[in-house]
Amino acid sequence: DDFVSLPPWANEDQLRRGQEFFRDFGLEIASGLFSASLPTSYTATRGAQVLTRTADLVSNAERRIAETGQMLLDVMAANDESLPPLGPDTHAYKAARGVRLFHAAVRYWVLNDPERTWDVERLGVPINQEDLLGTLAAFTVVMIESLEKMGVSVHERQRDAYLHLWLVVGHLMGIDYELMLPPDFPPDEQPLEYADVQRLRNEILRRNAGESPEGRTLTSALVQAMERSMPRPFKALPRALTRHLIGSRFADMLDVPPAGLMDVAVGALRPVARVLTPLTRIGPFGGIADNATRKMYGFWIRNRRGERPRWRF
């Protein structure tokens, strides 16, 4: 894979602050990503058909979740001050470029599968620019909004740094932002701000969201995988949190079942978290939270993956 330089608008300080935000709130971010970002992505009827073609998403959901966790750790949790963020020798850069290569392989396979013809006229090219932008919006805007719903206060500076980091990662994964920009847009200016990505998210959902058996299958596999990892008293927590974070319209679209009393408990989460979350980031508690985040991701990856992620060369 040839080296691809970072875009001229990439800011090293912003990239480091974005990674720091993930290290500070990794546990909460994981909850938002797996309970809101991924389910929201599964409402895309065309994209869900691509995802179900890769049967591991359904048959081995734990391993695919673990692979996502490994990618997030590689890209977001890097803490080597001797290397520039997303430099060519970092795990972050290799993970982003590896995912792009994996996307290209899936795209080629879907378009050339001799057993199942892909209707390009009706479904479009798989993993196209709109799909990538929708995923970017899900991993940024949807996740940030989920933190707020869980009671985690996110400062505008943290939010913007995290978005900046993902925009650069999106560039490495193949998003062509110039397709959306006017011809005279300054090449050294960040192509999208947070409000722009919010509007993109809304428009992509309007164009793509709908009920589909593929979306329901993917969501069911994801929720069941999360529930299998929970202690018995909290088995219903993943579906309750998913319904709380994405709302009843999309939850019903994806056939996420109600969770009874756990729905009530999750609804009461926000005011409690609003008080407790800042306390866990003060003094030595911040380091403890960072260490707990890494251990949680590491435990999940070691115990659920079964093999090395495909993008780790």
Side-chain angles (χ1 to χ4, degrees):
D1 187 21
D2 294 335
F3 172 69
V4 171
S5 61
L6 300 187
W9 43 268
N11 182 287
E12 184 170 323
D13 290 338
Q14 282 282 80
L15 293 175
R16 290 197 188 280
R17 283 195 289 270
Q19 291 176 332
E20 181 181 347
F21 174 67
F22 178 88
R23 291 196 299 272
D24 285 345
F25 295 96
L27 293 172
E28 296 89 343
I29 288 172
S31 298
L33 288 173
F34 293 125
S35 298
S37 298
L38 291 180
T40 299
S41 299
Y42 297 161
T43 65
T45 55
R46 291 183 296 106
Q49 291 189 51
V50 178
L51 293 173
T52 53
R53 292 283 187 107
T54 59
D56 276 354
L57 274 172
V58 178
S59 63
N60 200 340
E62 283 97 340
R63 185 169 66 84
R64 293 304 295 267
I65 292 172
E67 290 176 344
T68 302
Q70 181 67 68
M71 186 271 283
L72 290 171
L73 277 183
D74 283 351
V75 174
M76 299 289 151
N79 193 21
D80 188 347
E81 296 293 337
S82 67
L83 296 173
L86 294 174
D89 295 325
T90 63
H91 281 315
Y93 175 88
K94 293 173 183 176
R97 296 295 291 168
V99 171
R100 180 176 184 177
L101 183 61
F102 182 55
H103 284 168
V106 171
R107 185 183 300 113
Y108 179 86
W109 172 66
V110 170
L111 290 173
N112 295 276
D113 185 356
E115 297 181 3
R116 296 175 64 186
T117 301
W118 182 262
D119 187 347
V120 176
E121 287 294 321
R122 183 173 63 88
L123 300 173
V125 175
I127 317 181
N128 56 42
Q129 288 291 309
E130 185 178 28
D131 296 336
L132 294 174
L133 281 169
T135 304
L136 175 76
F139 276 50
T140 53
V141 166
V142 172
M143 193 283 298
I144 294 292
E145 292 175 351
S146 296
L147 293 186
E148 294 288 348
K149 291 176 183 177
M150 288 188 285
V152 179
S153 297
V154 179
H155 195 280
E156 190 174 304
R157 289 194 301 271
Q158 295 171 311
R159 178 201 74 188
D160 290 346
Y162 193 67
L163 174 64
H164 183 81
L165 174 59
W166 269 110
L167 287 171
V168 177
V169 171
H171 167 82
L172 295 176
M173 288 185 178
I175 296 179
D176 186 356
Y177 298 109
E178 292 185 4
L179 295 174
M180 299 176 290
L181 301 176
D184 57 348
F185 192 86
D188 58 349
E189 185 175 325
Q190 181 174 303
L192 299 169
E193 300 298 332
Y194 188 79
D196 299 322
V197 183
Q198 282 182 310
R199 287 191 289 270
L200 273 172
R201 183 272 310 273
N202 296 340
E203 179 61 19
I204 290 172
L205 280 175
R206 187 192 67 79
R207 283 170 44 85
N208 293 276
E211 293 186 14
S212 70
E214 293 83 5
R216 289 191 290 270
T217 297
L218 290 164
T219 304
S220 176
L222 174 64
V223 171
Q224 290 179 28
M226 290 190 289
E227 289 182 347
R228 284 193 291 269
S229 70
M230 302 296 294
R232 185 173 295 277
F234 299 99
K235 289 291 185 184
L237 178 60
R239 70 186 114 122
L241 190 59
T242 297
R243 289 195 67 90
H244 176 68
L245 295 181
I246 69 176
S248 58
R249 176 195 169 202
F250 292 127
D252 292 343
M253 189 180 289
L254 296 169
D255 202 20
V256 180
L261 290 176
M262 191 60 74
D263 285 327
V264 179
V266 167
L269 174 69
R270 185 176 184 184
V272 176
R274 187 73 74 185
V275 174
L276 293 182
T277 300
L279 299 179
T280 65
R281 302 301 186 267
I282 297 174
F285 293 109
I288 293 173
D290 183 11
N291 189 48
T293 297
R294 292 175 181 274
K295 286 187 174 180
M296 184 275 291
Y297 278 92
F299 174 81
W300 182 273
I301 291 163
R302 287 192 306 273
N303 287 275
R304 302 288 177 175
R305 184 181 69 225
E307 61 184 69
R308 297 169 69 193
R310 296 175 184 176
W311 54 81
R312 180 68 69 79
F313 298 106

